Amino acid sequence: MTRIRIVPILAHVLAIIAVAPLLWILISALRPAEDVFSFGWPRHWTLSNLQYVLLKIPMPRFMLNSAIVSVTVTVIALFFHSMAAYALARLRFPGRGIIFSGIMSTLLVSLPVILVPLFLVAKQLGLLDSYAGLIVPSIFHAFGIFLLRQYYLNIPRELEEAADLDGCGYWRRYWSVILPLSRPVLASLSVLFFLANWNAFLWPLTITRNPDLRVIQLGVSGMQGQYASAWNLILAAAVIAAIPTVVVFVAGQRRLVDAMKTTGLK
Amino acid sequence: MTRKRREALAAYAFLAPDTIGLLLFVAIPMVLAFGVAFFKVDGFGNYQYVGLANYKLMAGDDQLWASLKVTATYVVAFVPIAFVVSFALAMLVRNHFKGIGWVRSAFFLPNVVSLVVVGLIWQFLLVDKQGALSKLLAPLGLGDVSFLGTPSLALGTYVVISVWFLMGYQMLVFLAGLKDVPKELEDAAEIDGAGPWQRFRYVIWPLLRPTSFFVVVNSTIGAVTGLQAFDLVFVLTKGGPARATSTVVLYIYEQAFTFNNMGYAAALTTVVVAILVVCTGLMFGFTRGGRFDED
């Protein structure tokens, strides 16, 4: 019996240790500047750090840029990926195997690996320093296609056949039958895509110079250089960058976990 | 038009946007790297053919060898530690108990925050003498240690932070794998008198091999060329102190965008790709792709 009780207690203690760093910066960001390194529970709470960062630094602009990029990428990517996945899962055509393995093989390529040549391609296409440059290359990733395809393989044939008998073409079958059925998996993926794009740093760093195009992660990392040791402000910016991700995670947690669990395993 | 043709045409139309996008922004850049590696590219985008000169440069490039060593050390330390920690967490939260939802989320939460923020958090916690962690460690006589400022410690610190960041994700992957271990098999083993260790060794562990394979490959690729190997280092230490944390992807970035040596950076890219292919191949060979049929 005692064995069984030790596990939950240990788990809870470790869980608290795991989130402690996150809680600690949240608390520290709410301390007055001179107390930022105080060790105990804050004697005074203040919103002035957050206020300063939001009003004196174009943090709202950075957030808006990130929101535009993340939402656009998520919507377009889900649309394109579900179309591709539909074809791969439900339609028969010459070259299906080759196209599928070709798409899957791109999963092995991570951004840092192709960063330099991707930059050269984007430059050739005139994508430097533009929203298009932030958005377009971020759309294409095989992970979403793979996950959606797995999902579509399990949808019963009869549903589509009924639509076929009603005289629906392939587009109508995709749009009116498959897409509505894939709401849960699309929701999971949208959480995942939003988080990945909101947190993106390397590509925005590479493709933009214009301060007006700066996304939140660039803005926050820029604080480091500009406000070298004004830790109260740096932390406030970090908290602002992190809050949307934590909110999205808590709201979409179950869906996210479902999507994660399927990663490359089935 | 026959039905078959119609279906094929529809399929190609559905596939077109993603296929073109993946070609343009993944496949072509990948191939292009091998081509650009033969050129010297200046800051204005002028290309000059130099043959194998970029590859010859590598031999005498001490910083390249240093960064390859940093990356290798990081992988060798990070992959097993992250594996053990996340597997232990998965075993810990495998069975239901009160508050399990919160516990699992708590382990996953660091993975939700960006690596930029993760870097800043730990920098703040580790500020010399004043940071919360420095103060916590003071009673152990470690209060004066500058974890990120000492070359011999910086990489280790970076490993610990990476583990903290990734453990929740890998835990979920293991949990998914554990779900596929039939409860009946474990129960049968227990009836046959197998203790917890034997059940783990002879039932759970062999059945988890595909999952373990995925985790190892995934975290190795992540550690060599993932965002973790760039974003975190960029924010935490910029490769310092004394280049002790200069990973190879950070070095490639510096060559390309700080020194404008795009051709050389492309050549470095092809070497990293070759290393990755060999590593993945070796792992695949050693573990037979994570299959468990010989047991």
Side-chain angles (χ1 to χ4, degrees):
Chain A
M1 256 348 251
T2 43
R3 274 189 71 89
I4 295 165
R5 284 208 195 108
I6 283 174
V7 166
I9 293 169
L10 182 64
H12 279 280
V13 171
L14 291 175
I16 291 167
I17 295 174
V19 291
L22 297 170
L23 289 176
W24 191 252
I25 62 143
L26 180 63
I27 292 172
S28 301
L30 298 172
R31 289 178 199 272
E34 63 276 12
D35 286 347
V36 73
F37 284 114
S38 300
F39 201 50
W41 194 251
R43 276 165 299 146
H44 311 285
W45 298 90
T46 176
L47 290 174
S48 62
N49 304 321
L50 294 172
Q51 250 168 15
Y52 184 96
V53 171
L54 284 172
L55 298 176
K56 301 276 166 66
I57 296 162
M59 201 54 75
R61 175 74 201 232
F62 303 156
M63 292 170 82
L64 182 69
N65 285 337
S66 280
I68 291 172
V69 172
S70 316
V71 172
T72 315
V73 171
T74 302
V75 171
I76 300 180
L78 284 178
F79 181 53
F80 284 175
H81 295 353
S82 65
M83 277 167 51
Y86 171 70
L88 290 171
R90 323 271 316 182
L91 300 178
R92 325 226 130 251
F93 55 92
R96 188 163 81 148
I98 293 171
I99 295 178
F100 179 65
S101 3
I103 289 176
M104 284 309 110
S105 66
T106 63
L107 271 177
L108 291 171
V109 183
S110 63
L111 173 65
V113 174
I114 50 164
L115 187 72
V116 176
L118 178 61
F119 172 81
L120 295 172
V121 169
K123 195 175 165 190
Q124 278 301 313
L125 295 172
L127 294 176
L128 236 62
D129 251 336
S130 67
Y131 280 109
L134 286 167
I135 292 168
V136 179
S138 311
I139 291 172
F140 304 101
H141 201 285
F143 172 70
I145 307 175
F146 174 70
L147 213 72
L148 283 162
R149 175 182 166 272
Q150 298 304 99
Y151 189 84
Y152 291 164
L153 285 174
N154 293 321
I155 294 177
R157 275 239 160 259
E158 294 76 38
L159 287 169
E160 254 190 288
E161 276 161 11
D164 189 24
L165 287 177
D166 289 345
C168 293
Y170 293 102
W171 177 257
R172 283 288 300 280
R173 287 202 232 164
Y174 158 74
W175 188 257
S176 321
V177 179
I178 299 292
L179 215 48
L181 283 173
S182 42
R183 258 186 221 137
V185 66
L186 290 175
S188 308
L189 281 175
S190 61
V191 174
L192 217 60
F193 287 6
F194 179 84
L195 287 178
N197 285 288
W198 182 272
N199 289 341
F201 174 68
L202 176 55
W203 182 243
L205 175 74
T206 308
I207 196 74
T208 58
R209 292 279 171 275
N210 183 350
D212 287 340
L213 288 171
R214 216 167 272 171
V215 296
I216 183 89
Q217 305 302 336
L218 287 181
V220 172
S221 89
M223 296 277 301
Q224 214 187 354
Q226 238 176 320
Y227 295 83
S229 50
W231 271 107
N232 56 316
L233 301 181
I234 296 174
L235 292 184
V239 166
I240 288 172
I243 281 175
T245 61
V246 175
V247 169
V248 167
F249 168 66
V250 171
Q253 199 176 16
R254 273 231 342 264
R255 308 197 164 288
L256 186 77
V257 170
D258 289 344
M260 287 279 182
K261 279 184 186 161
T262 329
T263 318
L265 288 173
K266 293 276 155 67
Chain B
M1 197 160 40
T2 65
R3 194 194 161 85
K4 245 174 129 177
R5 283 242 346 243
R6 270 214 342 255
E7 188 168 352
L9 282 180
Y12 297 137
F14 277 115
L15 279 163
D18 260 348
T19 312
I20 295 170
L22 284 170
L23 272 176
L24 207 54
F25 298 112
V26 184
I28 291 177
M30 187 79 254
V31 177
L32 197 66
F34 289 87
V36 177
F38 294 109
F39 289 84
K40 188 176 178 0
V41 187
D42 69 15
F44 303 100
N46 300 317
Y47 290 69
Q48 186 202 338
Y49 182 78
V50 293
L52 289 171
N54 284 324
Y55 289 98
K56 283 180 192 141
L57 263 178
M58 287 178 200
D61 185 350
D62 293 341
Q63 291 206 351
L64 167 66
W65 297 106
S67 69
L68 281 171
K69 202 177 137 200
V70 165
T71 306
T73 315
Y74 174 60
V75 171
V76 168
F78 167 75
V79 174
I81 295 176
F83 185 96
V84 170
V85 169
S86 49
F87 183 72
L89 290 182
M91 292 300 283
L92 196 65
V93 298
R94 188 186 169 201
N95 296 312
H96 188 84
F97 56 79
K98 216 174 161 206
I100 190 161
W102 125 263
V103 170
R104 285 180 180 176
S105 312
F107 292 136
F108 190 76
L109 209 53
N111 199 258
V112 168
V113 174
S114 75
L115 284 158
V116 171
V117 171
V118 166
L120 290 176
I121 289 175
W122 285 86
Q123 239 178 3
F124 175 68
L125 293 174
L126 288 168
V127 169
D128 297 354
K129 290 184 184 152
Q130 288 180 295
L133 212 56
S134 303
K135 282 181 188 160
L136 270 179
L137 294 173
L140 302 173
L142 295 168
D144 293 339
V145 176
S146 170
F147 285 92
L148 291 167
T150 312
S152 58
L153 291 177
L155 193 60
T157 310
Y158 172 43
V159 168
V160 173
I161 298 170
S162 307
V163 170
W164 177 75
F165 175 75
L166 200 73
M167 64 186 185
Y169 168 74
Q170 289 196 356
M171 174 195 80
L172 279 186
V173 177
F174 275 125
L175 273 177
L178 284 168
K179 258 201 173 146
D180 293 341
V181 176
K183 194 86 187 107
E184 301 81 56
L185 263 182
E186 268 185 86
D187 293 343
E190 195 173 0
I191 291 165
D192 289 346
W197 167 252
Q198 285 169 313
R199 291 202 297 274
F200 168 76
R201 175 68 188 83
Y202 297 105
V203 180
I204 299 175
W205 186 244
L207 286 173
L208 266 185
R209 199 175 278 182
T211 311
S212 306
F213 177 71
F214 172 79
V215 166
V216 170
V217 171
N218 206 42
S219 67
T220 305
I221 293 177
V224 178
T225 62
L227 291 176
Q228 196 193 110
F230 182 86
D231 293 16
L232 198 57
V233 183
F234 193 87
V235 174
L236 267 182
T237 53
K238 294 235 162 40
R243 303 209 64 81
T245 57
S246 159
T247 57
V248 71
V249 288
L250 183 81
Y251 184 60
I252 294 178
Y253 179 88
E254 289 175 335
Q255 282 298 334
F257 299 103
T258 312
F259 307 119
N260 261 317
N261 295 331
M262 292 278 178
Y264 188 50
L268 293 173
T269 297
T270 63
V271 171
V272 172
V273 170
I275 293 174
L276 260 189
V277 169
V278 171
C279 283
T280 316
L282 280 179
M283 276 190 278
F284 202 83
F286 280 135
T287 60
R288 264 146 283 181
R291 274 189 305 250
F292 44 86
D293 44 22
E294 91 256 40
D295 286 276

